[in-house]
Amino acid sequence: MANQDKPLSQGSTGAADPDLPGPHQIRAQGRLSAVFEAQGSQSLLQAALAQGVALPSSCRNGTCRACICRLTAGRIAYRIEWPGLSREEKAEGWILPCVAEARSDLSLVWPD
Ligand code: FES
């Protein structure tokens, strides 16, 4: 079940701070190249789509992995307890933007 009040953290610099509202600057690289802004209350996918950036997606609930990309800088928090990633994938920086919220400026990479 989604928990939007206390997102779970993933990132390079520690626990998520739900009081960081943004806007945060999101830089997309790789097969996607774009810059957009995200409020802390939006999923990264919602923020991108609202600004005309067409990120890949399908389920939009953290299960299909169509949106998977790699976080190379910054911090995120998850809206759900168990996004569809293994512990190893999380450790490597893979994230699911459809259920992730920004907690800082981010750099994301979509592999070719
Ligand atoms: S769109 Fe399905 S996991 Fe993100």
Side-chain angles (χ1 to χ4, degrees):
M1 180 172 175
N3 181 347
Q4 297 183 12
D5 293 329
K6 295 182 179 178
L8 306 175
S9 67
Q10 177 184 348
S12 59
T13 58
D17 181 352
D19 295 326
L20 294 177
H24 304 289
Q25 187 178 71
I26 316 301
R27 291 189 168 277
Q29 302 171 3
R31 81 180 137 92
L32 291 172
S33 180
V35 177
F36 59 96
E37 291 187 341
Q39 299 291 337
S41 59
Q42 295 176 295
S43 74
L44 298 176
L45 178 62
Q46 287 173 329
L49 294 176
Q51 292 165 69
V53 177
L55 299 187
S57 69
S58 183
C59 72
R60 302 186 181 188
N61 65 19
T63 57
C64 76
R65 299 165 53 102
C67 63
I68 194 168
C69 68
R70 199 165 195 168
L71 175 68
T72 58
R75 291 182 296 127
I76 63 157
Y78 278 112
R79 298 176 152 199
I80 61 173
E81 190 169 357
W82 300 107
L85 296 167
S86 69
R87 183 177 312 200
E88 292 78 16
E89 288 171 326
K90 288 181 181 179
E92 292 171 0
W94 295 102
I95 68 166
L96 297 174
C98 67
V99 288
E101 298 172 354
R103 290 296 179 263
S104 70
D105 290 350
L106 304 176
S107 290
L108 305 175
V109 176
W110 274 264
D112 293 328

